[in-house]
Amino acid sequence: VDPPHGDRAVGPTLPPQAQVNVERGTLELDLHATFERRTNAARPLLQVQGGAKVHELQAGLPGLGWQWKSLSVEGIDLRPLERQASLASVSVEGVAVEADLEKLSAASNAKPAPSSGASSTSPAASAASAPPPSSKASAPDAKAASQPAKPSATPAWVWSVAKVQVKGERLEVKRDARTPPWALGAWALQLAGLDSKAVAKPAEIGFEAQDLHGGKLQAQAQAQLEPLSGKARLALEGVQAGKWIEPVAGTIPLQWREGTLKASAQLEWSPQALSVSEGELQADGVRLAPIAKNGSAATDRVGLQQLVVSGLQARIDRKGAQPTTVAVGGVAGDHLELRLPPLADRGLALRAAG
């Protein structure tokens, strides 16, 4: 199946925010449908089983583009009449994603074009031509409006995905066309045991990535979908902070010239609170310089061989009932160097002593 052809046929019928531009790709389906009348069941059985593959896909929305070499979905088990769906595995290879925050914001704020079939009658004319409301009809309407809305009787879908594996080649996010992007090189995501049921065991999540300058990110997490809660262990190593600050350099008065960061922390979240514990931060070989009025960086003003922050803890009450708390166990620094401008530049002069 040719996805771009289907996109051209179906795309115009979809809402603007759902109109994905599919430029290329190949879709393969192997599905088997079963329909069975069951005398002892409330409804018949409609089941769709099989697998699907998408090769060499390239698609996007305004401000967001993605592509991959291959996607494989195996063990599809869909039962629409029972509102149940499960997948045995999802595997994606060679993923590349590019996002432009400026274009995404413009697309999300764009107003939809008025419908060609819209009435040309003005609101004032419509109001004038409308019959006066009946007092007999308004009483039941007011009574109905005052009653709380009844919850929908339609049950939610129950779904599960046993295993997900995604291997990426690049992930790039940029503020606009004038600033350099934030970018990751090779990255990988693994998930196991995703399940929408409240009694399901927490899903296992693993993520690792490397940026274009040698920095590494690792995360291991356990997450519950209903209610949304979980815990994660995050670790950074060898991150050149200056490269990540560069896209927003114009908004801060300092330039991070040199230095690497290493950090780790334990995160926990629930509907009630978000907390951080066992936080550690280490900065090595830091060189900072203020930005001059003409936009250029001055000579190094602050140098630090090493800075270590340990025992970092924080808690944010998501309900707002308790204040946010932050605690630091200790701070240690080694070989701090300050380079101040000549005092004469500040209207002062010192006399040399023999």
Side-chain angles (χ1 to χ4, degrees):
V1 179
D2 182 18
H5 177 75
D7 174 60
R8 289 190 295 270
V10 179
T13 67
L14 300 175
Q17 62 271 21
Q19 293 183 4
V20 178
N21 179 27
V22 182
E23 298 183 10
R24 60 181 173 89
T26 304
L27 170 65
E28 298 178 10
L29 292 173
D30 182 13
L31 301 175
H32 307 272
T34 302
F35 181 81
E36 177 184 341
R37 271 186 190 275
R38 300 181 292 182
T39 57
N40 298 327
R43 60 179 64 88
L45 171 66
L46 175 59
Q47 185 176 22
V48 179
Q49 295 177 300
K53 295 181 180 180
V54 181
H55 303 285
E56 301 295 342
L57 180 78
Q58 183 172 347
L61 294 164
L64 179 64
W66 63 89
Q67 61 184 30
W68 62 63
K69 294 180 180 178
S70 66
L71 176 146
S72 176
V73 181
E74 298 180 357
I76 297 174
D77 190 345
L78 177 64
R79 305 186 183 197
L81 300 182
E82 301 173 30
R83 303 181 72 82
Q84 296 180 9
S86 65
L87 304 176
S89 68
V90 178
S91 177
V92 194
E93 301 280 346
V95 181
V97 180
E98 293 184 3
D100 187 314
L101 300 182
E102 187 177 56
K103 292 182 179 179
L104 282 173
S105 177
S108 64
N109 294 329
K111 296 182 179 180
S115 172
S116 59
S119 173
S120 60
T121 306
S122 66
S126 299
S129 62
S134 171
S135 59
K136 294 182 179 180
S138 61
D141 292 343
K143 182 178 180 181
S146 64
Q147 296 178 350
K150 295 181 179 179
S152 174
T154 304
W157 276 81
V158 176
W159 59 269
S160 64
V161 182
K163 183 174 64 173
V164 177
Q165 183 171 353
V166 183
K167 293 184 178 180
E169 296 179 346
R170 187 176 177 89
L171 194 158
E172 183 176 294
V173 179
K174 58 183 177 181
R175 294 177 61 206
D176 49 51
R178 301 174 295 279
T179 56
W182 294 287
L184 294 177
W187 57 276
L189 172 67
Q190 299 90 27
L191 301 98
L194 287 172
D195 199 315
S196 66
K197 294 190 292 292
V199 297
K201 295 181 179 179
E204 299 286 341
I205 305 172
F207 179 79
E208 57 183 19
Q210 183 168 337
D211 66 18
L212 304 182
H213 313 288
K216 296 180 180 179
L217 166 64
Q218 290 184 330
Q220 296 291 331
Q222 293 181 331
Q224 191 86 28
L225 298 180
E226 185 62 37
L228 186 60
S229 58
K231 58 183 180 179
R233 184 71 182 175
L234 304 180
L236 296 173
E237 185 175 357
V239 174
Q240 297 186 35
K243 299 296 184 181
W244 287 89
I245 295 175
E246 190 175 355
V248 293
T251 64
I252 56 177
L254 285 175
Q255 182 189 65
W256 188 300
R257 286 190 163 184
E258 296 179 12
T260 59
L261 293 180
K262 178 180 180 181
S264 62
Q266 179 81 19
L267 272 66
E268 293 190 23
W269 63 92
S270 69
Q272 291 74 35
L274 170 65
S275 63
V276 179
S277 61
E278 303 177 20
E280 303 283 341
L281 173 66
Q282 179 176 319
D284 295 291
V286 176
R287 291 281 181 183
L288 303 177
I291 302 298
K293 293 182 179 180
N294 60 5
S296 62
T299 57
D300 293 351
R301 298 290 178 84
V302 180
L304 189 62
Q305 185 171 327
Q306 187 177 79
L307 173 68
V308 178
V309 180
S310 59
L312 177 63
Q313 299 184 30
R315 188 181 188 279
I316 302 174
D317 191 299
R318 300 179 68 179
K319 302 294 185 180
Q322 300 292 332
T324 298
T325 59
V326 179
V328 176
V331 179
D334 184 20
H335 198 84
L336 174 64
E337 179 183 358
L338 298 177
R339 295 187 181 182
L340 300 177
L343 295 179
D345 293 349
R346 298 174 179 250
L348 298 176
L350 293 180
R351 181 179 300 175

